Amino acid sequence: MGNCHTVGPNEALVVSGGCCGSDEKSYTVGGWAWAWWLITDIQKITLEIMTLQPKCEDVETAEGVAITVTGVAQVKVMTDNELLGYACEQFLGKTVTEIKSVILQTLEGHLRSILGTLTVEQIYQDRDQFAKLVREVASPDVGRMGIEILSFTIKDVYDKVDYLSSLGKSQTAAVQRDADIGVAEAERDAGIREAECKKEMMDVKFQADTKMADSKRELEMQKASFNQEVNTKKAEAQLAYELQAAKEQQKIRLEEIEIEVVQRKKQISIEEKEIARTDKELVATVKRPAEAEAYKMQQIAEAQKIKTVLTAQAEAEKIKRIGEAEAGSIEAVGKAEAERMRLKADAYQQYGEAAKTALVLEALPKIAKKVAAPLARTSEIVILSGEGGRLTGEVNRLLAELPVSVNALTGVDLSKIPLLQKMTNPQA
C-alpha cells in the first residue's frame, strides 16, 4: 500500500528507497510522487529565493584601513537534477534558517578575503565591480552546494576613522572641480558656438551687403552708361549745331574779308599815292637840305681830321726834338760830371791822405749839423756836475770818442792827424 504526495512550485519532493529496497532518490518539483509505506522515505527542500545580508566588520583592506561592508545577496536552490542532488546532500532535512546560515558564512568568508586585496578607493568608487568580483569568486563554492547566487550587491561601506568621509570630500571636490571644468567647457563651447553663429550671421550679412553693393554698382554703371549715351547724343547735336553755325559764320566772315580786301586795296592805293607825295615832299624839304648839310659836315670833318693829324705830327716832332735836346744835354752834363769826378779822383790820388782828411773835415760841419738838428729845438741845456773838473772831463771824453765815430762813418782815422792828437791828448 502507498500514498500520493504533492508539492508546489516553491518546493522539491525527494523520494528515496523503493519497492526493491534500492537507495536511489527521485526529485519532483511542483508535482506529485507515489510513496510506499514503510519502505519509501519522503522529504521536501525549499526552492524559494533566500535573502542574505552578509556583513564584514572592521576588515583591513590592502592599505590597512579597517572598514565595515554590508551587502545583500539573493540565492536559491538550483532545480537541475544533478545540482539539486548536491543541495539535497548538503541541506536535506535542514530548515531554511540553517541553509541560509551556511550560505551566509560562505559569502562572508569570500567577502572578507576579497576585501584584503582591494583598496578603499576601489571598493568605494566601484561597488558594482567589487560585488561582481565577490559573486564570481563565491559562485563556484556555493554552486557545489547546489546553490545559485542570483544577485549580490554592496549595501554600505563605512569606517570608524572618517577615511571614507575624507575620501568623499576629496571626491566631492573632484566632482565639483569636474563640474566647474564642465561648466567652463560648456560656456567655452557655447561662446565658441555663439561666435561661430555670429560669424555665420556676419558672413551672410556680408554676402547680402556684397550682393546689394554689386546690384547698386550695376545700377550706377547702367545709369552712367545711359547718361553717357544721352550726353553723347547731346554733344553730337550741339557739335552739329555749332559746326553749322561755324560754317555760316565762316561764310559771313569770308564775305566780310572780301569787303575788307576791297577796302584795303583802295586804302593801299590811297596810301601809295600819299607816300609818293610825301616822299617828294621829303626830298624837297628834308633830303636835299640834309644832303647839303651832310656834305658840309663831311667837308668840315675832313678838314678837322687833317688839322688834327698835322697838329699831332707837329707835336710828335716837337717832343722828339725836345727829347733829343734833353738827351744831348743830359749826355753833355753826364760827360761833364764824369769828367769832373775823374778829375777829382785824379786830384785825390795826387793829394793822398791829406786831401781825404780835408774832405772829411769839410764834411764834419754837415754831419754835426744833422746830429745837432734835434738840439736846435732845445732852448737851454744845463749840465749839472758836483765837481769842478767834471765838465772838462766830459768834453775831453767827447773829443776822444769823435775820431772813432768818424772812422766808423768815413773810414778816415782822425787820430793820426797831429792837431787832433794834441786836442785829445794834451800831454802829447
Side-chain angles (χ1 to χ4, degrees), residues 167-418:
L167 185 63
K169 290 180 181 178
S170 63
Q171 184 68 20
T172 301
V175 171
Q176 183 66 35
R177 180 199 61 200
D178 294 340
D180 294 339
I181 293 174
V183 171
E185 291 177 349
E187 291 178 353
R188 179 200 62 193
D189 295 340
I192 293 172
R193 183 56 183 164
E194 181 180 0
E196 291 177 351
C197 293
K198 286 183 179 180
K199 180 179 178 300
E200 292 176 359
M201 180 189 72
M202 294 303 294
D203 291 341
V204 173
K205 183 176 181 300
F206 290 155
Q207 291 177 0
D209 293 342
T210 303
K211 290 181 180 178
M212 290 175 62
D214 291 339
S215 299
K216 186 175 180 180
R217 180 175 59 82
E218 189 68 25
L219 177 62
E220 294 295 333
M221 291 178 64
Q222 291 293 334
K223 285 183 178 180
S225 178
F226 294 154
N227 292 333
Q228 183 180 3
E229 292 179 0
V230 172
N231 293 332
T232 301
K233 295 298 182 182
K234 287 182 178 180
E236 290 176 354
Q238 183 68 24
L239 182 62
Y241 172 77
E242 293 178 356
L243 181 61
Q244 187 62 33
K247 289 180 179 179
E248 297 297 329
Q249 188 68 28
Q250 185 177 11
K251 290 180 180 180
I252 296 171
R253 182 57 183 164
L254 289 174
E255 293 178 359
E256 291 178 350
I257 290 173
E258 290 179 358
I259 295 172
E260 291 177 356
V261 168
V262 173
Q263 292 178 350
R264 187 62 178 165
K265 285 181 180 179
K266 292 181 179 181
Q267 186 68 27
I268 290 171
S269 177
I270 294 171
E271 289 177 354
E272 287 177 351
K273 292 179 180 180
E274 182 66 22
I275 289 170
R277 186 191 67 78
T278 304
D279 187 29
K280 290 179 180 181
E281 184 178 356
L282 288 174
V283 169
T285 60
V286 177
K287 184 176 180 181
R288 299 303 181 188
E291 288 177 352
E293 185 66 21
Y295 179 76
K296 176 183 177 181
M297 296 300 294
Q298 182 179 4
Q299 293 301 317
I300 293 172
E302 289 291 335
Q304 187 68 28
K305 177 181 178 182
I306 293 171
K307 178 181 178 181
T308 302
V309 170
L310 293 175
T311 301
Q313 290 177 353
E315 186 67 22
E317 185 65 21
K318 175 184 176 182
I319 292 170
K320 178 180 178 182
R321 294 302 175 89
I322 292 172
E324 290 177 352
E326 289 180 352
S329 175
I330 292 170
E331 182 180 2
V333 171
K335 288 180 177 180
E337 184 67 22
E339 185 63 22
R340 186 178 68 82
M341 293 297 292
R342 186 182 66 77
L343 294 175
K344 190 175 182 179
D346 292 340
Y348 286 162
Q349 291 292 331
Q350 293 176 3
Y351 289 114
E353 294 295 329
K356 294 179 182 179
T357 303
L359 291 175
V360 169
L361 293 176
E362 290 177 1
L364 282 178
K366 296 180 181 179
I367 295 171
K369 183 178 179 181
K370 295 295 184 180
V371 172
L375 298 177
R377 294 189 294 271
T378 303
S379 60
E380 183 179 0
I381 297 175
V382 179
I383 299 175
L384 298 178
S385 177
E387 298 177 0
R390 182 74 178 270
L391 178 60
T392 305
E394 293 294 333
V395 172
N396 292 331
R397 186 180 62 81
L398 180 61
L399 291 175
E401 292 177 357
L402 181 62
V404 178
S405 300
V406 172
N407 187 18
L409 292 172
T410 62
V412 178
D413 189 0
L414 295 180
S415 62
K416 296 179 180 181
I417 298 174

Side-chain angles (χ1 to χ4, degrees), residues 47-226:
L47 298 178
E48 292 181 352
I49 295 175
M50 294 172 283
T51 301
L52 306 177
Q53 294 183 351
K55 181 178 182 181
C56 295
E57 295 184 356
D58 298 332
V59 178
E60 291 186 356
T61 61
E63 296 175 341
V65 180
I67 62 173
T68 299
V69 178
T70 60
V72 177
Q74 306 290 338
V75 299
K76 68 181 292 292
V77 176
M78 291 183 284
T79 57
D80 182 77
N81 284 340
E82 182 178 0
L83 298 176
L84 183 57
Y86 294 156
C88 290
E89 291 177 358
Q90 299 292 331
F91 305 113
L92 192 61
K94 296 182 181 295
T95 64
V96 173
T97 302
E98 292 174 340
I99 296 173
K100 291 170 66 175
S101 177
V102 174
I103 298 173
L104 180 61
Q105 291 177 8
T106 303
L107 289 175
E108 287 179 350
H110 287 292
L111 180 59
R112 186 180 298 272
S113 63
I114 293 173
L115 285 173
T117 62
L118 300 175
T119 63
V120 178
E121 287 80 1
Q122 291 174 331
I123 299 168
Y124 183 79
Q125 294 176 359
D126 198 353
R127 296 187 182 187
D128 292 340
Q129 185 64 27
F130 173 53
K132 180 180 179 183
L133 181 60
V134 175
R135 188 169 58 250
E136 290 176 353
V137 173
S139 291
D141 287 345
V142 298
R144 285 191 288 269
M145 298 178 189
I147 302 299
E148 179 184 7
I149 300 175
L150 299 177
S151 68
F152 178 80
T153 58
I154 301 301
K155 183 178 179 181
D156 194 9
V157 178
Y158 58 91
D159 66 299
K160 296 179 181 180
V161 293
D162 295 332
Y163 184 88
L164 291 172
S165 177
S166 301
L167 185 63
K169 290 180 181 178
S170 63
Q171 184 68 20
T172 301
V175 171
Q176 183 66 35
R177 180 199 61 200
D178 294 340
D180 294 339
I181 293 174
V183 171
E185 291 177 349
E187 291 178 353
R188 179 200 62 193
D189 295 340
I192 293 172
R193 183 56 183 164
E194 181 180 0
E196 291 177 351
C197 293
K198 286 183 179 180
K199 180 179 178 300
E200 292 176 359
M201 180 189 72
M202 294 303 294
D203 291 341
V204 173
K205 183 176 181 300
F206 290 155
Q207 291 177 0
D209 293 342
T210 303
K211 290 181 180 178
M212 290 175 62
D214 291 339
S215 299
K216 186 175 180 180
R217 180 175 59 82
E218 189 68 25
L219 177 62
E220 294 295 333
M221 291 178 64
Q222 291 293 334
K223 285 183 178 180
S225 178
F226 294 154

